Amino acid sequence: MFNRSVAFAVPLRRSIGVASAIMTLWVAGGVAAVAQTTSAQTTSTASSALAGAAGVTNAPPVAPVANACQRFAPGSTVQNPPALFSQNGVLNVQFSYQTATDSNGRQLFCFMTPSGMENPTLYLNAGDTLNITVTNNTAFNPVGDTTELYDAPNCGATTQLTQNPANSNGMTGGSMNIHYHGTNTSPACGSDNVVKTLINPGQTFSYSVHFPPNEPPGLYWYHPHVHGLAQAAVQGGGSGAIVINGINNVQPATAGLRQRILVIRDLPTLQGLQESPGGTEGGIPQLDVSVDNVPLNANTNENVTPPVTTYTPAVINMLPGERQFWRISNSASDVILDLQVRFDGVPQTIQIVGIDGVPVNSQDGTQPGNLIPVTHFRLPPASRVEFLANAPASTVKVAQLVTQNILTGPLGDDDPTRPLLNIQLGPDSSAAPVDNTVPAFTALDTTKQKFGGIKSVTPAVTRTIFFEEKQDGTAFFINASGCVTAAGAQCATQPYAIDTAFNNNNPPAIITTQGTVEKWLIQNHAQENHEFHQHQIHFMVLSQDNFEANGSQQAPAIDGQFLDMVEVPFCNGPPPAVTKSNPTGNNPPACVDASGNPVIPYPQVEALMDFRGPDTGAFVFHCHILGHEDLGMMAIEQVVAPSNSTASASGSP
């Protein structure tokens, strides 16, 4: 849980020059749209900061699109989002990034194409290049805004702009960029770089993202990722799916099936009521959710005790006897999902095809890999799951996709059981989308085993990573505290104090070597769940340790699979003690005794981090509850080429 009132009160450095320049532009005509420059990188001087405010590429700006950020009525039938497809190895896209408000005053964000497509699904093949030109067409009010100067080198603008909602009718806004979540692509400038890329209002930026030829076929997604603004952008709906083609030839069980692209997002509830304590079944949820922009419209009746919340789920159609391929992205900012298909309340078995863009059991062993049968699947924020779902029999009265109640811990948010989809028998009334059906099987493809053989590699180091937070929800931390080489020697840990909140100018917490594998022990030292995300690479889950001892259950189907997201549940010990050094009991760690030792072994996930790919550079790992990430729970890691690193007991591996 986090304190919303301080969601943007991160310690930032003021840059009066840029704010004053944009104030002039605001007074002159609203959006700070000015002449473009040819500079792709700028320095952190006052004059170059102004140049950064003028624009970041020489590409023509993408004009705003009318009627942006539309939403469907509650209870509507879901439709696949609009789709764009690569041709001859390239997909060229133009995006206008825009904001609007719905009829209830909630702020919305979206990526619009010039033809009016909103948040389209981007279809590419492994080895393709995605070229995106995006213009930040959000209005910006610089009165009382906060700015932060980024140290060089930079990609685009040098100064982050964060609008003050108190002076803008509750609306936030400012800088943006695009993260290509889950893709195994370069963190270089102009590619999947979030640490140093800023696109300010009125600016245009060009991305060129090259996908490796062995990128596994599956579901990925894109969204803005500016620290301090990520939660608002994603909660407002600024996201879309990416599909790497080829699942039909890696897992033939999907071939020829009707596919559903189901993007689940969160948004503020209509009533704005105080949420129930985390884990309250039937409670008032922290946030509402939508499926393909069809909101559930959570409505709580407070005139009864306890209050009762009802929902209006979206509708999905299936033909009698049909099997469909459901490709689901949890594109929520904060909401944790635990998906289950129920027929008249009875859980149904679904067959897991892929997790986080990687077909299950596809990287090693006999192919095609076996599907994984489960009756529910835990889906952290930002994670994706792809599975086979069967239509209900005609005798079933109520068929639904639900998300089950989540035990989030004493400080966690309330994510109660709620229906997401009503499954109805019958044809769709609208025309079939262009991406309606998975292609036919042609030949088994074993060239997409990007992560194969990882268990035969001795980890270069073993690191301990852990989450901590302040009890009042004003600051969140992720720490890299322990490092041991394969030979048993100590190696470098983060070069700053434990529990240091993220800043884009922080040095790397971790420096590692391209071509290696590392073993990470990812622990949770806080009294609420945290959701670990690793940029640029995937990791193999080895084990989920001490979950039951802390009152949680292990997530099904993920051990031995390759993920970019994993949940580490809360520690089930006492809050921090009130001491002379911690007089309010607000500071971490929680769940420890008087000697500072955990009263119960901490929940942890053991994973093999795969740095064997070709990419080097700086990228991040963080909690993907974006309210936590915005308030500090993120850190930088640097991958260097082998010739530029030295393995030693006292230095970086």
Side-chain angles (χ1 to χ4, degrees), residues 460-463 480 482-486 489-495 507-514 516 518 636-653:
V461 302
T462 297
R463 299 187 192 273
C483 182
V484 180
T485 69
Q490 297 297 311
C491 43
T493 58
Q494 64 190 39
I510 289 170
I511 299 177
T512 191
T513 306
Q514 182 270 329
T516 62
E518 295 191 354
I636 298 170
E637 59 199 322
Q638 180 86 24
V639 178
V640 298
S643 59
N644 296 327
S645 65
T646 301
S648 70
S650 60
S652 301

Side-chain angles (χ1 to χ4, degrees), residues 275-285 306-309 311 338 340 342 402-408 413-419:
E275 67 174 297
S276 300
T280 303
E281 180 62 286
I284 301 171
V308 174
T309 302
Y311 305 90
D338 192 353
Q340 186 171 75
R342 296 179 181 176
V402 306
T403 178
Q404 300 188 103
N405 185 49
I406 308 293
L407 297 178
T408 56
D413 294 302
D414 198 37
D415 294 328
T417 298
R418 44 191 151 178

Side-chain angles (χ1 to χ4, degrees), residues 43-135:
T43 62
S44 56
T45 63
S47 59
S48 61
L50 289 171
V56 291
T57 75
N58 59 357
V62 183
V65 178
N67 302 314
C69 309
Q70 295 295 300
R71 300 293 183 263
F72 296 100
S76 296
T77 300
V78 294
Q79 305 173 32
N80 280 2
L84 296 171
F85 301 85
S86 66
Q87 294 184 345
N88 301 317
V90 179
L91 176 57
N92 296 316
V93 180
Q94 290 183 304
F95 275 150
S96 170
Y97 182 66
Q98 296 184 223
T99 187
T101 55
D102 67 10
S103 59
N104 299 292
R106 295 177 292 196
Q107 188 173 17
L108 310 174
F109 290 92
C110 58
F111 293 92
M112 302 294 299
T113 70
S115 65
M117 290 184 176
E118 178 181 336
N119 299 332
T121 301
L122 307 178
Y123 283 86
L124 301 105
N125 299 306
D128 282 357
T129 297
L130 172 62
N131 297 319
I132 292 181
T133 297
V134 59
T135 299

Side-chain angles (χ1 to χ4, degrees), residues 2 333-334 336 381 528-531 623-629:
F2 50 91
S333 64
D334 301 325
I336 305 165
E528 66 174 310
N529 295 2
H530 290 299
E531 321 298 320
C623 177
H624 219 290
I625 292 178
L626 292 179
H628 301 171
E629 184 266 291

